Amino acid sequence: MKNIFGIVGSFRKGSLNGMLMAAIKERAEAKGLQLEIADFKDVPLFNQDLLANYPTAVTVVKNKIKSADAVIIATPEYNRSVPGVLKNLIDWTSRPKDDNVWNGKLVATVGATNGITGTIAAQYVLKQSLLCMNVRVVGNPEFYLGMAQEKFDENGTLIDEITKKKIDELLSTLATSRIL
Ligand SMILES: Cc1cc2nc3c(=O)[nH]c(=O)nc-3n(C[C@H](O)[C@H](O)[C@H](O)COP(=O)(O)O)c2cc1C
């Protein structure tokens, strides 16, 4: 397992989930893994009518999911669920049904909040969708980062040793998972 694709469900500057994914990327690369972070700001709102004229912005992301050995999704929690931009991307990339790039893909979910629950609710909602797309969801270790604003310095660098260890644990789980 060498090549990871990272998806962050927040577009905002200073996103805690963006900082978390950047830290995961840095630690992955230190272990000789590659991690590319998705850019999907140009993906339009899903409309089944557009499937006939499939948007290039989605094709680009689909191809990256297809060629990745594993995907890590960092989701914020919005109203105890996943942000619309992330669900929109998942819906797009799961269609057309005979080109479901998620089928059999190894996927780990992580998430950061500024409250204490660390995206537990959002990740459970996310995992429900992933399971029905036949994703191989990493059930353990679970990764919930609460009070995330305290875990990064003013430059967005991860300063929390426990979180660093959790990232390493997740990366080794991915790296040792067999790709069938
Ligand atoms: C619309 C909205 C709904 C939110 N709902 C929740 C929630 O249900 N649970 C939670 O822990 N935080 C919630 N938050 C706070 C987010 O965890 C916090 O804004 C976080 O920083 C968002 O992720 P980001 O920093 O990656 O953008 C919500 C924020 C917004 C904007």
Side-chain angles (χ1 to χ4, degrees), residues 39-88:
D39 178 359
F40 63 101
K41 291 192 190 69
D42 294 335
V43 168
L45 284 178
F46 183 75
N47 175 344
Q48 235 177 316
D49 292 342
L50 299 180
L51 284 176
N53 193 8
Y54 208 83
T56 310
V58 193
T59 304
V60 169
V61 179
K62 273 188 97 163
N63 287 338
K64 293 193 175 186
I65 295 170
K66 209 180 278 182
S67 62
D69 296 316
V71 177
I72 299 177
I73 303 177
T75 183
E77 182 168 299
Y78 282 2
N79 299 312
R80 299 287 181 257
S81 185
V82 295
V85 294
L86 179 57
K87 185 61 166 54
N88 186 56

Side-chain angles (χ1 to χ4, degrees), residues 79-135:
N79 299 312
R80 299 287 181 257
S81 185
V82 295
V85 294
L86 179 57
K87 185 61 166 54
N88 186 56
L89 182 72
I90 286 170
D91 293 340
W92 262 121
T93 50
S94 68
R95 288 293 189 273
K97 230 178 169 175
D98 60 3
D99 185 31
N100 170 14
V101 289
W102 295 96
N103 188 17
K105 192 64 63 180
L106 182 64
V107 178
T109 67
V110 300
T113 59
N114 54 9
I116 55 169
T117 59
T119 73
I120 292 177
Q123 287 191 53
Y124 268 89
V125 172
L126 177 58
K127 283 171 179 169
Q128 276 181 5
S129 288
L130 296 177
L131 283 173
C132 93
M133 298 180 328
N134 205 29
V135 159

Side-chain angles (χ1 to χ4, degrees), residues 158-176:
L158 182 64
I159 49 170
D160 183 63
E161 294 305 318
I162 294 173
T163 306
K164 288 179 189 174
K165 274 199 194 126
K166 290 205 70 167
I167 291 174
D168 291 348
E169 194 191 347
L170 180 66
L171 289 170
S172 357
T173 301
L174 290 176
T176 52

